[in-house]
Amino acid sequence: MRSVSVFPMCAAVLVCGLGSPAHAEKKSQPQAQQFQEVERGLWLRATMGAVMTVTNAFGEGRESALWPPGPMIEIEAGYDFGQYASIYLGVLAEQLVGSRDMGSRSPVSNDAGALALMAGGRFNALTTKRLAWFLMAGVGWMFTQPSLAQYDGGVLIQAGTGIEYATNLRHFFVGLELFGQYDVMNGGAGVGLSPCLKYTF
């Protein structure tokens, strides 16, 4: 009776069970996670800077000062339309520095505060994946105090330009914005400079 060698049969079973080494190595490798390097969409933006008045926004006997500038802060919520445009709603607070003529005595402070509800948009005129130069425009309604300062509330218009950079932290953007503003009721014009930090969800 012819004897049958079991070695070839064992080798065939072993190869079929383990599969090819290349296939096993491919299975053991973790799958690369897909994610966006720059997040865009719904965002929150905080701006803190300063505003200088160019024309007098106060009533008779009062004068706004070109220097020192008044502080300003704005909180915005908005949405990116891809890489090129965004819209926002915001709350803006700023201080207008001024003085009141007291006749024979030295002038006294006539500072006024303004709180404005704003809406607007930004358009990226030039942009790469991370860096953008944008143009902005916004309009809102301004509430002012105190009444003694003779600084009335009304429509506030803003327009300006700036740069924005998407950091390697993915969700965070930093930027710098230069803008001009005009309050229609008082005829007051001003310019402002504000750094900003934006977080995109």
Side-chain angles (χ1 to χ4, degrees):
M1 192 172 186
R2 185 180 298 175
S3 62
V4 179
S5 174
V6 298
F7 179 75
M9 294 176 61
C10 292
V13 170
L14 186 61
V15 169
C16 291
L18 295 179
S20 66
H23 182 68
E25 183 181 354
K26 184 177 180 181
K27 273 191 170 182
S28 65
Q29 290 178 350
Q31 295 295 323
Q33 184 180 4
Q34 298 295 324
F35 67 93
Q36 298 291 334
E37 290 187 36
V38 178
E39 294 287 343
R40 301 188 186 276
L42 186 66
W43 50 262
L44 290 176
R45 186 175 189 262
T47 299
M48 183 177 294
V51 177
M52 294 187 302
T53 55
V54 178
T55 62
N56 185 29
F58 294 124
E60 187 177 352
R62 292 160 173 78
E63 185 176 0
S64 53
L66 182 64
W67 191 265
M72 63 84 64
I73 184 170
E74 185 172 10
I75 304 297
E76 297 176 358
Y79 186 80
D80 288 319
F81 293 100
Q83 188 175 329
Y84 299 99
S86 64
I87 57 173
Y88 70 89
L89 295 174
V91 179
L92 168 68
E94 61 184 34
Q95 180 184 6
L96 187 67
V97 179
S99 61
R100 183 164 71 248
D101 187 8
M102 299 299 292
S104 58
R105 295 191 301 168
S106 299
V108 298
S109 173
N110 193 66
D111 293 0
L115 182 69
L117 304 178
M118 304 292 295
R122 293 180 177 86
F123 172 75
N124 292 339
L126 292 174
T127 181
T128 63
K129 183 167 61 175
R130 292 195 178 273
L131 184 64
W133 167 54
F134 63 83
L135 304 175
M136 64 83 66
V139 63
W141 186 268
M142 182 176 62
F143 304 91
T144 61
Q145 64 172 352
S147 57
L148 183 63
Q150 295 186 9
Y151 185 57
D152 299 324
V155 176
L156 180 67
I157 301 171
Q158 287 186 335
T161 186
I163 56 173
E164 188 173 69
Y165 177 74
T167 70
N168 288 327
L169 295 177
R170 285 183 60 197
H171 294 274
F172 289 92
F173 292 70
V174 293
L176 185 67
E177 189 168 277
L178 174 66
F179 63 90
Q181 65 179 30
Y182 181 76
D183 68 277
V184 177
M185 185 63 69
N186 304 287
V191 293
L193 182 66
S194 55
C196 60
L197 176 67
K198 187 172 85 172
Y199 179 84
T200 304
F201 295 93

